[in-house]
Amino acid sequence: MTGWTWRSPRGRLLSGMVGVTALYAGVRLGGASSRVLWACAVLPDVALLYGAASAPTFDPLPRRAVRPYNVLHSPGVPLVLFGAAHALGSRDLRLAACGWLAHVAVDRAFGYGPRARDGSRL
């Protein structure tokens, strides 16, 4: 297995549990109406909008949007946010990390992983 898998039922179940847990933690930390939490839960899909600006479809994703999509949908982004939140003692960064992690995990739970170089789903 190379990385956080979305290809097996067990991996999808794990991803779903991580997503629900991250969202729950974010709501507990910032409240259900936290703008930071919900903005960061949606922010990774900016790459899809970037790709949609030049093509009417998300499958395949235009090549110029593949790298931003893969970076923004990487579990490394919320990990960096959690690290920065810990180092700075920032509640808002913790909320951002929870929202971002929830997005990435729920995508994986529904079978959406990184894109290939040509924009197709792996």
Side-chain angles (χ1 to χ4, degrees), residues 39-117:
C40 289
V42 175
L43 197 57
D45 281 341
V46 165
L48 289 175
L49 297 175
Y50 176 65
S54 65
T57 182
F58 297 126
D59 201 18
L61 193 62
R63 287 179 187 228
R64 68 186 183 104
V66 170
R67 184 177 206 128
Y69 178 88
N70 285 343
V71 168
L72 292 177
H73 285 82
S74 164
V77 174
L79 185 64
V80 168
L81 288 171
F82 276 124
H86 180 72
L88 300 172
S90 172
R91 181 177 158 269
D92 283 345
L93 282 175
R94 279 189 184 88
L95 284 168
C98 286
W100 209 295
L101 179 60
H103 179 102
V104 172
V106 169
D107 271 5
R108 296 291 199 273
F110 282 103
Y112 297 102
R115 297 289 183 120
R117 286 185 181 163

